[in-house]
Amino acid sequence: MKYDIVYACGHAGVIQIYGKSADRDRKIKWMETNCLCPNCQANENKKRTEIAIKEMAGLNLPTLTGSQKQIDWAVVIRAKRIEEAKIFLATNLPPEVQEKARKFYAWYTGQTQAAWWIDHRDEHPKATCRLERKSWDKQNKEERVDIDEYDEGL
């Protein structure tokens, strides 16, 4: 059924909702409280993308590839994850790990596919390091140092 709602931003809209009456009513209430209308949501996404681009401007990161929608989303994700990676690298890592960590950071920030950032959006960089270790080791062809031992405060 189609319902007229007033989004959290104050704009009115029509939405299509299926399901039981109680579920529809609950979804309408949630959308009116928490959701922006499509235009305001698009503007919010654009602002987040612009902020992320400004934050990352000095890092000389590679251009992302993918659809424009993927790129806009991935820019925001990449900015957040790179900040987390910087915090991890700022911890007191032993000298034997610091160089490997810097190489991982270079590999991590060098990812150019927007889909890669989207696929790893919920992972802390340290977790990505564990999950992507095989790929990273193939590219670097070096002996692996276990970064998991050095997770102070994470």
Side-chain angles (χ1 to χ4, degrees):
M1 294 185 86
K2 292 189 177 189
Y3 293 90
D4 293 322
I5 67 166
V6 177
Y7 291 96
C9 60
H11 296 115
V14 178
I15 59 169
Q16 179 79 37
I17 304 178
Y18 299 99
K20 296 178 184 177
S21 178
D23 294 339
R24 291 190 308 250
D25 292 341
R26 187 172 37 252
K27 183 161 186 172
I28 290 169
K29 185 176 180 181
W30 181 82
M31 289 184 78
E32 289 180 331
T33 308
N34 298 301
C35 294
L36 299 175
C37 72
N39 288 337
C40 289
Q41 185 63 52
N43 290 336
E44 183 66 26
N45 292 345
K46 186 177 178 181
K47 284 181 197 174
R48 274 192 246 140
T49 300
E50 290 170 356
I51 289 169
I53 289 170
K54 287 178 186 174
E55 288 175 354
M56 299 288 117
L59 296 180
N60 297 323
L61 296 171
T63 303
L64 294 175
T65 59
S67 72
Q68 190 58 49
K69 190 172 183 179
Q70 285 178 318
I71 291 169
D72 290 345
W73 189 15
V75 164
V76 175
I77 295 166
R78 178 170 69 171
K80 181 179 178 184
R81 295 294 169 229
I82 287 176
E83 286 304 315
E84 290 173 348
K86 285 181 185 177
I87 291 168
F88 176 65
L89 290 175
T91 61
N92 294 325
L93 295 173
E96 67 272 11
V97 176
Q98 287 178 359
E99 184 60 29
K100 301 258 185 208
R102 279 191 208 96
K103 287 181 180 181
F104 172 75
Y105 179 79
W107 172 84
Y108 189 70
T109 59
Q111 297 302 312
T112 59
Q113 293 182 352
W116 187 91
W117 289 100
I118 293 167
D119 291 345
H120 295 86
R121 68 185 172 272
D122 295 326
E123 296 171 3
H124 187 278
K126 187 178 144 220
T128 304
C129 177
R130 279 193 301 266
L131 294 172
E132 296 291 326
R133 189 171 285 146
K134 287 181 183 178
S135 171
W136 182 47
D137 286 344
K138 283 180 187 176
Q139 287 181 357
N140 291 292
K141 296 187 188 316
E142 293 180 17
E143 182 181 327
R144 175 176 70 81
V145 171
D146 196 1
I147 285 185
D148 297 340
E149 298 173 19
Y150 310 102
D151 66 349
E152 300 169 15
L154 297 177

